[in-house]
Amino acid sequence: MIYDLSGHQSLTPADPEVPARLRRLQELGLGEVADAHLDEFARRAGDITRAPLAMVNFIRDDRQYLGGLYTGAAVPEALRTGLAGRTFTREHGYCPHVVVRRKALVLDDVCDYPRFAGNPVVDEIGIRSYLGAPLIDRTGVALGTVCVVDVEPRPWGRPGLETIKALASELVAQIHAREGK
């Protein structure tokens, strides 16, 4: 875990839902391999929000897996390369916070929030703004997130919040529809 400089506050939240999430992700066949449908959904999320980077992110016990990924032309090559494997630790990024909180998170400029400014994605890959919402399954398990990010601060505001929540709801409905097939 990564801690703030005072050593008092864990910057990566404890996640008691991991066992239930892993079981549910396995049942759904999600979180281990790239999915063209989820890539297309991420592309659409990026287009709708005009964000250069969009993801469908499944949170596991020790890592995050980008089941859906869209990197627009404006994404710096270092960031594109860093995401190529679609896997990174739970300490990188903001999606683990969204999953544990079970609420959308809007960070117009991550540097304005001490808890989030110290995240490795700020210095290592240049993330400056984040907008994400949890994917809460019909069983009540938070599977992961749909999120968009930018390398510049972005005033997402209420419209951004409503958009990302609507996208999360839409994707959960799609996941449930696929489950029934």
Side-chain angles (χ1 to χ4, degrees), residues 35-156:
D35 182 312
H37 173 76
L38 296 177
D39 283 344
E40 177 56 27
F41 189 90
R43 185 204 56 77
R44 198 164 70 76
D47 287 348
I48 288 169
T49 61
R50 294 187 311 268
L53 180 62
M55 299 164 276
V56 176
N57 191 0
F58 299 108
I59 311 299
R60 306 194 56 85
D61 53 343
D62 59 344
R63 61 190 160 86
Q64 302 175 66
Y65 184 77
L66 305 177
L69 175 62
Y70 165 73
T71 54
V75 172
E77 191 57 36
L79 178 52
R80 190 181 309 277
T81 301
L83 295 172
R86 293 183 180 244
T87 301
F88 48 101
T89 70
R90 286 187 72 248
E91 288 80 18
H92 282 71
Y94 310 106
C95 292
H97 295 272
V98 172
V99 167
V100 171
R101 289 168 28 116
R102 303 174 64 84
K103 290 182 182 178
L105 179 62
V106 179
L107 300 171
D108 295 339
D109 185 342
V110 298
C111 294
D112 288 343
Y113 303 89
R115 180 179 186 115
F116 298 116
N119 194 284
V121 298
V122 176
D123 292 331
E124 290 177 21
I125 55 179
I127 300 300
R128 284 298 301 273
S129 63
Y130 173 91
L131 178 64
L135 301 171
I136 300 178
D137 182 56
R138 65 175 170 75
T139 65
V141 173
L143 303 172
T145 66
V146 59
C147 68
V148 295
V149 300
D150 203 333
V151 295
E152 300 292 332
R154 289 278 299 268
W156 303 108

